[in-house]
Amino acid sequence: TNTPRIGDILQKLAPFLKMYGEYVKNFDNAMELVKTWTERSPQFKFIIQDIQKEKVCGNLTLQHHMLEPVQRIPRYEMLLKDYLRKLPQDSLDWKDAEKSLEIISTAASHSNSAIRKMENLKKLLEIYEMLGEEEDIVNPSNELIKEGQILKLAARNTSAQERYLFL
């Protein structure tokens, strides 16, 4: 009560927030699985609905609860920025809070990077399926840079042929 601080605590716990990147990477797939099984299995649907009625769930759906971790890091980052704006710069907590914000911002960046990587892999999978699954392009090291219509000019004459390019 004499010297209220939060920066030092967050600084110690912030490195653990990087694990949310893995959760975020699998979030869309997990949501799709819940949707699929809710549609396919009346028993699964009933169990989920029964659990959601419990007081501890706060009248929120499973999907709402699954979304909480995805929103957590950006929320921490926003709250910490607001805290620093209102905290006097000569406060004992200033340096720790600033360092915590740096670590949490890194975790948020890591989480966003994981989302982008998963979106890229999904797009590569779509292209792979579209191309008849002949050339295996789905690889975490591959990245879709650009795609679109191009005109191929023939070397012998000036005719142009339309093509669709994936770079």
Side-chain angles (χ1 to χ4, degrees):
T1 58
N2 294 348
T3 54
R5 298 177 57 165
I6 193 167
D8 57 333
I9 297 166
L10 285 174
Q11 197 171 334
K12 289 174 188 166
L13 299 175
F16 295 102
L17 297 176
K18 289 181 183 175
M19 70 182 178
Y20 282 98
E22 290 303 312
Y23 182 87
V24 170
K25 268 199 294 194
N26 295 305
F27 176 75
D28 288 339
N29 188 37
M31 291 292 275
E32 193 59 39
L33 280 171
V34 169
K35 180 182 175 213
T36 299
W37 282 104
T38 302
E39 292 168 355
R40 278 189 193 170
S41 170
Q43 186 178 10
F44 180 80
K45 183 178 181 177
F46 175 76
I47 290 169
I48 296 298
Q49 287 174 338
D50 201 40
I51 292 170
Q52 288 173 165
K53 290 176 188 172
E54 291 187 21
K55 189 176 182 177
V56 71
C57 291
N59 294 321
L60 295 174
T61 65
L62 172 61
Q63 290 85 342
H64 280 94
H65 288 288
M66 289 171 66
L67 186 59
E68 283 292 317
V70 174
Q71 297 171 332
R72 187 161 290 140
I73 293 177
R75 188 177 302 138
Y76 286 163
E77 187 177 21
M78 182 182 68
L79 289 170
L80 203 48
K81 283 178 181 177
D82 191 47
Y83 175 70
L84 276 167
R85 267 194 302 275
K86 295 177 181 175
L87 189 67
Q89 286 194 343
D90 61 346
S91 169
L92 295 174
D93 199 26
W94 178 262
K95 284 186 180 182
D96 285 332
E98 198 172 44
K99 180 68 176 166
S100 296
L101 177 59
E102 183 182 313
I103 296 168
I104 289 172
S105 293
T106 301
S109 176
H110 179 75
S111 184
N112 291 336
S113 174
I115 291 170
R116 281 191 299 278
K117 282 182 182 176
M118 279 311 298
E119 287 172 350
N120 182 56
L121 280 174
K122 281 183 187 177
K123 185 66 179 169
L124 287 174
L125 184 59
E126 288 172 16
I127 294 167
Y128 171 68
E129 290 169 351
M130 194 168 51
L131 296 175
E133 301 179 3
E134 290 181 26
E135 188 70 34
D136 190 11
I137 60 169
V138 183
N139 184 320
S141 64
N142 290 346
E143 184 177 343
L144 178 67
I145 298 170
K146 192 169 180 111
E147 66 175 292
Q149 293 282 132
I150 63 165
L151 288 176
K152 178 188 174 207
L153 298 176
R156 293 187 191 114
N157 55 31
T158 58
S159 66
Q161 297 172 330
E162 281 193 23
R163 297 284 191 256
Y164 198 87
L165 178 73
F166 297 100
L167 183 60

